[in-house]
Amino acid sequence: MATTIIRRTVASAARVAAPIESIGVVGLGLMGHGIAQAAATAGMHVTGVEREQGALDKGRGRIETSVGKLLARQVSKGEIDQASADTEAARILGNLTYATDIERVAQCDLVIEAIVEDMAIKVPFWSQLGALCKPEAIFASNTSSLPVTAQAVASGRPAQFVGLHFFNPVQLMRLVEVIGTEHTSAATLEAAQAWASRLPDKVVVTCKDTPGFIVNRLLVPSIAQALAMVDRADASIADIDVAMKLGAGHPMGPVLLADYVGLDTTRAILSGWVEAHPDEPAFFVPRCLEAKVAAGHLGRKTGRGFYVWEGDKPKGVATDDA
């Protein structure tokens, strides 16, 4: 038995020894298009996949718009001239191909999933990918809160599976969390860390497959505590947010942040953790959060939550009861 385990470990290490150069990104939405862009900027060949042509065109448009804006900013600052910007845009966009056929990622060295945050969808997705992709490919989920281990097992190659959690917007946020499970081989973890470190201006941290990883494990419960203060009328929403901005140096307060992220997203994370870890007192869903989601007031994305929004700008605390 011990000999078998050693042989499997050595085989897994050999499979991922080659450098990662070709990337498949499945899902080109808010996160996926940024991941694809970052990898293409780093000089890797990227295949972006969406199931529907409309979603694929939208993802491609997001990438092209983002590349143009970032380079235009460099031109306006005098860092590069327009000719250099045009050359760089052509280089980056030339590293990208697009497809609606999932089989186009079969020969990629690394396949990153950035689809909907729903285990009922992710598990069969990984089962399909495990049967489709070349044996040495590494798999990674960009999930922000769901268990990586269950996805790894579903893939049929848990030793070659990690979490790669990027932050929004990927093009500007520097952090990448690399998550290893109890099954992840040392070679896979090292390969994932090395790959993420090659991305433009990225800082890599590593942790185990704990709920929320590092950032969200600390951040989301702090949002829940802020909303519990709202439930108890301990302080006003405005004062809670001002206190954390000025007293703790946060760029925005926790209630405003919940609105910005999406109250439905915040609730989904917390309720999922409550279901999976019912004995953890840090995981609970505040009453005011439930009420806002039930009313359809989801924050920035709907124009109203705990704050009233105009586009991406909050205009003040909402005065309604819901």
Side-chain angles (χ1 to χ4, degrees):
M1 181 66 176
T3 303
T4 301
I5 293 173
I6 291 170
R7 285 174 178 166
R8 286 176 180 171
T9 302
V10 171
S12 177
R15 283 178 179 175
V16 299
I20 296 171
E21 296 297 342
S22 57
I23 316 299
V25 179
V26 182
L28 294 178
L30 195 63
M31 300 302 297
H33 89 274
I35 297 169
Q37 180 180 329
T41 301
M44 305 165 198
H45 177 70
V46 182
T47 300
V49 177
E50 279 282 5
R51 188 169 55 181
E52 303 293 337
Q53 186 64 48
L56 187 69
D57 293 341
K58 186 175 182 180
R60 181 173 188 164
R62 281 172 163 164
I63 293 171
E64 292 173 353
T65 298
S66 177
V67 169
K69 284 182 177 180
L70 291 174
L71 291 172
R73 187 176 304 160
Q74 289 182 269
V75 171
S76 68
K77 292 180 178 179
E79 297 173 356
I80 58 174
D81 59 25
Q82 188 58 54
S84 298
D86 293 342
T87 299
E88 179 65 359
R91 182 192 70 82
I92 295 170
L93 298 178
N95 287 329
L96 288 144
T97 59
Y98 302 91
T100 55
D101 183 357
I102 192 66
E103 292 188 4
R104 291 284 294 277
V105 304
Q107 296 303 313
C108 289
D109 300 327
L110 169 65
V111 180
I112 303 172
E113 163 270 313
I115 63 176
V116 64
E117 286 282 75
D118 185 341
M119 288 295 282
I121 295 174
K122 289 184 188 289
V123 165
F125 167 82
W126 284 120
S127 179
Q128 178 189 10
L129 261 290
L132 174 67
C133 293
K134 64 182 183 180
E136 64 269 29
I138 294 175
F139 289 164
S141 174
N142 181 56
T143 184
S144 61
S145 63
L146 297 176
V148 176
T149 302
Q151 298 178 66
V153 171
S155 76
R157 55 180 80 180
Q160 292 162 234
F161 201 110
V162 295
L164 283 173
H165 181 214
F166 292 80
F167 293 80
N168 182 42
V170 176
Q171 300 90 328
L172 301 178
M173 296 292 280
R174 298 183 64 197
L175 188 67
V176 182
E177 292 179 318
V178 178
I179 299 94
T181 76
E182 62 181 334
H183 306 293
T184 307
S185 71
T188 297
L189 192 64
E190 290 169 7
Q193 292 165 330
W195 175 81
S197 297
R198 291 168 58 195
L199 300 178
D201 201 31
K202 290 291 184 272
V203 175
V204 178
V205 297
T206 305
C207 73
K208 296 179 179 179
D209 187 19
T210 186
F213 318 132
I214 298 174
V215 173
N216 283 338
R217 180 63 182 264
L218 298 173
L219 184 62
V220 175
S222 74
I223 291 174
Q225 287 295 332
L227 297 180
M229 294 185 76
V230 173
D231 281 339
R232 297 191 300 265
D234 290 339
S236 70
I237 290 171
D239 283 354
I240 291 169
D241 279 345
V242 167
M244 293 307 292
K245 283 183 66 178
L246 301 184
H250 293 186
M252 68 175 70
V255 184
L256 182 63
L257 179 59
D259 253 26
Y260 187 86
V261 169
L263 300 182
D264 55 337
T265 300
T266 304
R267 183 195 175 278
I269 293 171
L270 285 167
S271 61
W273 289 354
V274 168
E275 181 178 355
H277 307 279
D279 297 326
E280 173 53 70
F283 301 158
F284 65 95
V285 182
R287 294 190 305 276
C288 60
L289 178 60
E290 291 277 22
K292 289 288 185 184
V293 173
H297 297 163
L298 307 181
R300 177 176 60 103
K301 65 176 72 175
T302 61
R304 178 177 291 268
F306 291 103
Y307 287 79
V308 176
W309 294 79
E310 289 185 9
D312 287 342
K313 296 186 180 298
K315 295 299 180 180
V317 175
T319 57
D320 58 287
D321 294 332

